[in-house]
Amino acid sequence: HDLKSLLERRLREVYRRQYTSSTVEFNDVFPSPKHNVDALSYIFQRTLMRPRDVIQFANECFVAALDTPRISWRSIYVAESSYSVKRLDSLKEEWHEIFPNLEVSVEILRGITSPFTRNVLSSDKLEAVASELAVSSEELSIDPCTVVARKMYEVGQSVDVSDFMYESLLCFYQVGIIGAKISTLDSFSWSYKDQPKLTRGEI
């Protein structure tokens, strides 16, 4: 309710400046539900219920629907793409002290459709990212994914690509890039609302 009120205040400000001084509500501007999903829920699911991110997504919708009085589903999809790029940049900044190499390790997920299982993560891609992390600068060596990646290439270490995969998925869950479905009977859990971290066994 609070997030919707925040979003409507933002809407009124934008539309007051561009179109009308009349009171504008969310349903006046955003499209009707599609495939039983309403636009408000669609946005909230992709912003982890964070006010800053809701506003950022809405701003991208306004840009995508520039010079039109209503926002279409197509505009929302276009906005989602640009929002996602900026959201990832924000996560990199937000978590830089703990995961300074997040920009590199997240490449493991590029091109994968959602939802996915860990089995779709190819060894080739995992090894390519691990090798890049292993040779990163010394100041980035505190990154947990980098620590495991370097051990993969050290003589006498019993660390392999599966260890690197587990460490990466633990990181992605913690920062909010992915959610996790522990079993078929469970719903997806997210670090921002369920539990902040997962164990290797849960991964």
Side-chain angles (χ1 to χ4, degrees), residues 13-198:
E13 179 62 23
V14 169
Y15 277 71
R16 183 184 62 77
R17 290 200 308 258
Q18 294 186 9
Y19 301 109
T20 177
S21 58
S22 302
T23 300
V24 178
E25 295 184 355
F26 185 88
N27 293 334
D28 297 328
V29 176
F30 281 82
S32 301
K34 183 177 181 181
H35 305 307
N36 294 321
V37 177
D38 64 276
L40 192 64
S41 297
Y42 189 89
I43 290 171
F44 287 172
Q45 287 169 5
R46 284 151 182 79
T47 55
L48 306 186
M49 309 291 279
R50 291 161 39 132
R52 175 180 67 181
D53 299 334
V54 169
I55 293 298
Q56 188 176 29
F57 198 128
N59 287 341
E60 295 299 331
C61 288
F62 301 143
V63 171
L66 196 62
D67 299 326
T68 59
R70 285 186 61 84
I71 294 169
S72 64
W73 276 104
R74 184 181 179 282
S75 297
I76 292 175
Y77 298 147
V78 169
E80 182 179 0
S81 179
S82 54
Y83 162 78
S84 294
V85 171
K86 292 176 180 177
R87 181 71 194 111
L88 185 56
D89 287 341
S90 296
L91 282 174
K92 292 170 189 172
E93 289 179 23
E94 210 174 300
W95 290 90
H96 182 75
E97 287 190 18
I98 301 172
F99 303 109
N101 263 337
L102 183 60
E103 183 170 11
V104 177
S105 56
V106 77
E107 288 301 310
I108 292 168
L109 301 177
R110 191 166 300 282
I112 291 175
T113 56
S114 178
F116 69 93
T117 67
R118 66 179 188 275
N119 297 331
V120 306
L121 299 173
S122 74
S123 293
D124 289 345
K125 183 182 279 190
L126 286 163
E127 287 180 9
V129 172
S131 63
E132 187 174 348
L133 289 173
V135 297
S136 59
S137 65
E138 193 59 37
E139 64 187 38
L140 301 177
S141 63
I142 61 165
D143 188 300
C145 297
T146 303
V147 171
V148 174
R150 288 184 173 175
K151 286 180 179 178
M152 283 174 60
Y153 300 97
E154 290 177 7
V155 177
Q157 291 282 353
S158 58
V159 174
D160 60 21
V161 71
S162 67
D163 295 303
F164 176 67
M165 177 194 67
Y166 281 113
E167 190 63 45
S168 299
L169 292 176
L170 288 169
C171 158
F172 301 154
Y173 176 84
Q174 186 177 350
V175 304
I177 292 175
I178 62 171
K181 189 175 175 71
I182 308 301
S183 77
T184 53
L185 299 177
D186 293 329
S187 57
F188 279 92
S189 64
W190 294 87
S191 60
Y192 75 96
K193 68 174 184 177
D194 298 304
Q195 58 188 84
K197 294 182 181 181
L198 295 179

